[in-house]
Amino acid sequence: DAGVTQSPTHLIKTRGQQVTLRCSPKSGHDTVSWYQQALGQGPQFIFQYYEEEERQRGNFPDRFSGHQFPNYSSELNVNALLLGDSALYLCASSRITGKNTEAFFGQGTRLTVV
Amino acid sequence: DAKTTQPPSMDCAEGRAANLPCNHSTISGNEYVYWYRQIHSQGPQYIIHGLKNNETNEMASLIITEDRKSSTLILPHATLRDTAVYYCIVRPDSGNTPLVFGKGTRLSVIA
């Protein structure tokens, strides 16, 4: 079991550009959530996908969007990048029902906006 | 906002038990106590969770007070690899409920 995998591991983008981050959930998981972690802070919830639809959203602007595919993998897109978008982006997968619903995280994508 | 309060930092000698406290005085009846840890520059790692009974797994033990207003995560024999930020989170046991992270406790295990 490969667990939750994210790509790429590191990324440098210029202000104003767009970026796409990818996540493959743990086997057997159907729900993917994305978090942003600024330096020195705890992760902050961005949004969650289940059955290919955004189900919940945190306090993030519309520049942040996502997608979930039939195989449960997911993408996070950020448009019009700002310097403040520099952070570690974490993907977490879970099962929405059943006995074990704890979330498992990937290693994250470190995004630097210059 | 996080519903938990944790000390910002703690030290523990290698080989000794590390006891990490967490206050969650406003916890609801259907909310579980979850613990995650984050080693530097890695994603958070699930440790353990419980509702009201004490729980133990291969990583740690979780002791929840009878009134459920506080809990303690115990690492029985801390090693240098346990140095990390530990997060205590309260959450219903549902896969669609987002995790709300506070600042956590930075545990330093010292040789």
Side-chain angles (χ1 to χ4, degrees), chain A residues 65-114:
Chain A
S65 63
H67 190 77
Q68 185 180 35
F69 300 94
N71 67 352
Y72 307 117
S73 66
S74 177
E75 290 181 349
L76 164 65
N77 301 294
V78 187
N79 294 322
L81 284 166
L82 304 173
L83 297 179
D85 295 331
S86 295
L88 180 67
Y89 288 85
L90 296 159
C91 168
S93 73
S94 58
R95 296 184 342 162
I96 204 159
T97 59
K99 183 178 179 182
N100 299 312
T101 60
E102 58 268 22
F104 289 82
F105 285 80
Q107 294 304 293
T109 295
R110 173 74 60 186
L111 172 65
T112 302
V113 182
V114 297

Side-chain angles (χ1 to χ4, degrees), chain A residues 3-109:
Chain A
V4 181
T5 58
Q6 293 186 242
S7 63
T9 55
H10 295 82
L11 202 53
I12 300 175
K13 289 287 190 178
T14 303
R15 191 171 42 181
Q17 285 188 315
Q18 178 264 345
V19 68
T20 297
L21 311 181
R22 295 176 176 81
C23 172
S24 292
K26 181 178 170 65
S27 178
H29 285 184
D30 53 15
T31 302
V32 173
S33 301
W34 288 91
Y35 292 79
Q36 179 196 66
Q37 186 174 24
L39 205 60
Q41 304 295 318
Q44 299 295 308
F45 174 71
I46 303 175
F47 46 53
Q48 181 186 81
Y49 277 83
Y50 172 66
E51 292 186 332
E52 303 179 48
E53 290 189 12
E54 182 182 299
R55 299 292 179 168
Q56 299 186 67
R57 189 178 185 92
N59 188 26
F60 280 81
D62 292 345
R63 297 187 298 108
F64 290 77
S65 63
H67 190 77
Q68 185 180 35
F69 300 94
N71 67 352
Y72 307 117
S73 66
S74 177
E75 290 181 349
L76 164 65
N77 301 294
V78 187
N79 294 322
L81 284 166
L82 304 173
L83 297 179
D85 295 331
S86 295
L88 180 67
Y89 288 85
L90 296 159
C91 168
S93 73
S94 58
R95 296 184 342 162
I96 204 159
T97 59
K99 183 178 179 182
N100 299 312
T101 60
E102 58 268 22
F104 289 82
F105 285 80
Q107 294 304 293
T109 295

Side-chain angles (χ1 to χ4, degrees), chain B residues 80-93:
Chain B
L80 298 178
R81 287 177 294 182
D82 292 321
T83 293
V85 178
Y86 286 77
Y87 296 99
C88 170
I89 300 167
V90 296
R91 167 185 183 259
D93 190 20

